[in-house]
Amino acid sequence: MPDIVLRSNDGADHKISASTARLSRTVASLLQDLEASKGEDAELLIVPIPNVCNCTLKKVLDFCEQQRAFDDLVRASPAAQQPEVTRKTQAWRETYMKVSTDELYHLVMAAHYLDVPGLLGLCTDAMADHIRGKSPSQVRACFGLKPNLSPEEEDDIRRSNLWALS
Amino acid sequence: MSDMTTLSVTLWEQIISHLPGKHLGSVRCVCQTSRQAVENYVQRVVITKASIHEAPDLSRWPNLQTIIITDNMKAPYPEMMSLGPQGMPFIVVCGKTSWWQTDWLRQWVAKEQQKRGATVGLLFCVTSMDSDDGNDISAEIEQTLQIDHLPIAYLGIWSHLEEGVPLERLAWNKAVPGLSNLEGLYVEFIEVQAEVLRCMTHLTKLRVLFEEACTSIIDAVQHMPCLRTLHLEPIAEDSLVPEVLFTLGKDIQELCILGSVSMLSLMDHHSWLAYVLDLFAKLPKLNTFFCIMRTDELFSGHVEKSAWVSVDHLRVVAMGEVYIAYDKENDRISGAFRTFKDAETADPVLSHQPRYPRLQMG
């Protein structure tokens, strides 16, 4: 299948290969339907992504491109070089995830909507890092959440935590 | 700042999956959505002696699989929490066998059995046998296996062997109904603290008791034709465990060695490796072997996701090569795997800084 265009909700187009786009299960499913109806020789497809803005879509596609490159590298590398590939992947991901809390939120929502499991795991892991060691009020402050539990509910939770684990 | 109140329960569940259990208490209090996500995540609850008779609202945990009842928060050991087949109602009773007979718990078991159709009910009952305890082990087993005619597939015996326990209390009554249907058995005959291990005089006395207990197990297991799973807490004497295993283990398919105070922690890597390979060589049907090490992380309730390792069908390729996962931080080998990938992916804790010694066989 030829390249396709993903269009963000603010009208920006991103041309990528179909194989990269398929890292998003949402897009892959759409492409599968289109192939079934039009065949593989369809003209350049423009796929609107209504829930994702240009900036976030670009970031998501960066991940997909890089993920695909690493997958190719893993397949091509002999076993002895695998640890080095893994190290490079981890280093790239660490740099990639240096984003603000706000960007992280948009990224996690996009990864969820586009159903990119690798990216979603990475983002939720980063969000978990923000939570570690923090009290509930600190977590709320970090994520800009307003408390919506009643004092009675909070009391109940605290009491149940005394004996209910995991 | 974005409105993170739009994070769905599903996304919170994803976030939670990266956190050790000890953080979940805080997450539960953040907001309604995070609270629901934590409730969905809960698979085990621990109920203390003090609250055993208060019926908890179990409906708040839709994925609850295990209820653990304990008389103190040191027990049950985290290893116990992770035992038993997945997806079965699973109860651990640490202390009095009669505790499980509270109405709410029996109702939960009945409901779970109904929900899971033909799946047998699973009762994991742990008994103690202190020197001042009048019961013998046979009576405990009989009592457990006959509770309400509950079909029991898995039985656990957790008995303190202490000086002064009459040996006749260790004898198993092989005529107990239900014993022959057991598919799984957990045995821990002793709880030894590290300082006790250093006291060799005491250990020698315990060894005598343990040898008697092993003889009793070997004798009893001959009458368990369905036994496929064995979870064993060995004492720190390397000669005894194989003796038990190789006598009873012809049909054992899954073996778990709990490594907390076992010989495993005392062996060097090469001895350990030889031991694992010997197990596969001598137990013809063994296809799964795993070893659980105790860490603080385990106590946080994050056991099955991060800290135990398993092998599938290792036997099939045991004559080729075996990869051993080595926990560098704790200086222990913690599992044997069919492929490098299995070793790497089986335990995310190990995958951070792995070192996998490779063994070429035969």
Side-chain angles (χ1 to χ4, degrees):
Chain A
M1 192 169 192
D3 289 353
I4 63 167
V5 169
L6 300 186
R7 180 168 290 167
S8 65
N9 63 4
D10 43 1
D13 288 348
H14 298 267
K15 191 175 175 184
I16 55 166
S17 70
S19 57
T20 300
R22 281 181 209 280
L23 286 179
S24 156
R25 289 178 181 167
T26 305
V27 176
S29 169
L30 183 69
L31 292 179
Q32 197 175 11
D33 292 345
L34 285 170
E35 278 168 8
S37 62
K38 294 186 178 178
E40 291 223 359
D41 297 328
E43 65 278 16
L44 184 67
L45 279 172
I46 299 177
V47 180
I49 309 293
N51 289 3
V52 185
C53 69
N54 175 41
C55 183
T56 306
L57 184 58
K58 186 175 180 309
K59 186 91 178 161
V60 173
L61 295 180
D62 278 352
F63 176 87
C64 293
E65 295 277 12
Q66 198 63 42
Q67 182 63 45
R68 197 166 155 260
F70 280 131
D71 287 346
D72 290 344
L73 195 57
V74 166
R75 273 193 290 273
S77 303
Q81 287 175 16
Q82 299 285 339
E84 179 59 14
V85 174
T86 306
R87 193 194 60 75
K88 278 184 181 167
T89 310
Q90 282 173 347
W92 183 86
R93 287 182 170 187
E94 277 170 26
T95 310
Y96 176 85
M97 287 312 296
K98 283 179 183 162
V99 294
S100 68
T101 315
D102 201 38
E103 287 171 303
L104 181 58
Y105 167 77
H106 287 296
L107 205 50
V108 79
M109 295 302 275
H112 183 54
Y113 172 68
L114 290 168
D115 199 358
V116 186
L119 180 58
L120 187 60
L122 202 59
C123 291
T124 49
D125 192 16
M127 292 188 100
D129 280 342
H130 284 293
I131 290 173
R132 273 194 190 87
K134 288 193 172 78
S135 68
S137 57
Q138 286 170 325
V139 175
R140 283 195 289 263
C142 177
F143 289 159
L145 291 164
K146 291 191 179 82
N148 58 5
L149 290 163
S150 67
E152 293 77 23
E153 282 174 316
E154 280 208 44
D155 257 9
D156 177 53
I157 293 169
R158 289 214 165 80
R159 267 188 289 112
S160 70
N161 276 348
L162 293 176
W163 60 273
L165 299 179
S166 81
Chain B
M1 181 172 273
S2 302
D3 179 13
M4 292 225 189
T5 52
T6 56
L7 280 179
S8 63
V9 173
T10 309
L11 282 172
W12 270 109
E13 284 174 6
Q14 292 258 358
I15 295 167
I16 287 167
S17 71
H18 298 285
L19 288 168
K22 63 187 173 187
H23 295 292
L24 298 188
S26 287
V27 177
R28 194 181 249 148
C29 295
V30 170
C31 63
Q32 294 283 8
T33 321
S34 69
R35 176 190 185 179
Q36 187 56 53
V38 173
E39 309 298 18
N40 292 353
Y41 192 73
V42 170
Q43 294 187 345
R44 301 183 298 265
V45 295
V46 178
I47 295 176
T48 59
K49 182 182 179 179
S51 57
I52 177 72
H53 295 295
E54 294 170 18
D57 176 15
L58 297 176
S59 65
R60 72 169 75 170
W61 301 299
N63 296 309
L64 184 64
Q65 290 185 358
T66 305
I67 295 175
I68 297 162
I69 303 171
T70 176
D71 58 349
N72 69 64
M73 292 310 287
K74 281 174 72 180
Y77 289 140
E79 293 92 334
M80 290 179 185
M81 295 183 185
S82 62
L83 300 180
Q86 290 294 309
M88 290 179 121
F90 189 60
I91 302 169
V92 179
V93 182
C94 299
K96 295 185 193 310
T97 313
S98 59
W99 283 352
W100 100 273
Q101 294 191 8
T102 49
D103 285 343
W104 65 266
L105 193 53
R106 289 161 68 163
Q107 283 162 13
W108 180 75
V109 172
K111 201 171 150 191
E112 290 299 306
Q113 281 188 279
Q114 202 173 21
K115 199 161 73 183
R116 292 177 167 87
T119 309
V120 291
L122 182 68
L123 176 68
F124 187 99
C125 182
V126 181
T127 68
S128 66
M129 193 163 57
D130 301 328
S131 53
D132 59 349
D133 187 336
N135 289 340
D136 62 27
I137 200 165
S138 184
E140 291 280 2
I141 292 169
E142 186 164 355
Q143 189 182 357
T144 305
L145 288 175
Q146 293 187 325
I147 291 171
D148 284 358
H149 306 290
L150 188 71
I152 294 168
Y154 193 99
L155 176 71
I157 306 295
W158 179 33
S159 293
H160 294 255
L161 287 184
E162 294 187 354
E163 290 178 73
V165 175
L167 294 181
E168 57 268 24
R169 286 213 214 143
L170 297 173
W172 292 34
N173 176 7
K174 294 176 282 292
V176 172
L179 202 62
S180 61
N181 295 327
L182 284 182
E183 295 171 21
L185 182 67
Y186 168 92
V187 183
E188 178 182 346
F189 265 109
I190 194 163
E191 181 192 11
V192 184
Q193 301 300 324
E195 57 270 25
V196 178
L197 281 176
R198 288 192 282 274
C199 176
M200 294 311 289
T201 310
H202 187 57
L203 187 61
T204 304
K205 288 177 185 172
L206 289 173
R207 181 186 165 125
V208 173
L209 277 173
F210 187 72
E211 282 177 342
E212 292 295 333
C214 286
T215 306
S216 174
I217 296 172
I218 291 167
D219 196 26
V221 165
Q222 307 302 319
H223 300 265
M224 300 179 194
C226 302
L227 195 66
R228 297 292 176 269
T229 301
L230 181 66
H231 292 164
L232 190 65
E233 164 73 60
I235 198 172
E237 288 287 338
D238 58 358
S239 63
L240 289 170
V241 174
E243 181 186 328
V244 176
L245 284 176
F246 301 149
T247 307
L248 63 81
K250 292 183 187 64
D251 292 320
I252 293 296
Q253 295 172 3
E254 177 184 300
L255 173 66
C256 170
I257 303 272
L258 306 177
S260 55
V261 288
S262 71
M263 59 169 186
L264 302 180
S265 57
L266 304 178
M267 292 167 81
D268 65 46
H269 305 153
H270 295 294
S271 306
W272 203 97
L273 186 58
Y275 172 76
V276 172
L277 296 174
D278 198 35
L279 286 177
F280 278 96
K282 291 183 177 170
L283 303 176
K285 293 187 180 174
L286 189 65
N287 59 35
T288 302
F289 170 80
F290 54 94
C291 170
I292 301 174
M293 299 296 176
R294 182 181 304 169
T295 66
D296 287 345
E297 188 76 354
L298 289 176
F299 270 105
S300 73
H302 205 55
V303 181
E304 73 280 7
K305 281 193 165 37
S306 67
W308 74 340
V309 289
S310 65
V311 188
D312 291 325
H313 311 300
L314 180 58
R315 175 75 193 166
V316 176
V317 292
M319 298 313 289
E321 54 185 28
V322 177
Y323 292 89
I324 301 297
Y326 172 64
D327 182 351
K328 191 176 178 184
E329 195 174 331
N330 295 308
D331 194 29
R332 286 172 177 170
I333 292 171
S334 56
F337 299 90
R338 181 163 48 121
T339 66
F340 179 89
K341 193 178 173 192
D342 285 346
E344 189 179 49
T345 57
D347 190 339
V349 170
L350 296 178
S351 66
H352 292 308
Q353 290 272 330
R355 182 161 75 89
Y356 302 109
R358 250 177 82 169
L359 175 79
Q360 294 293 338
M361 291 186 63

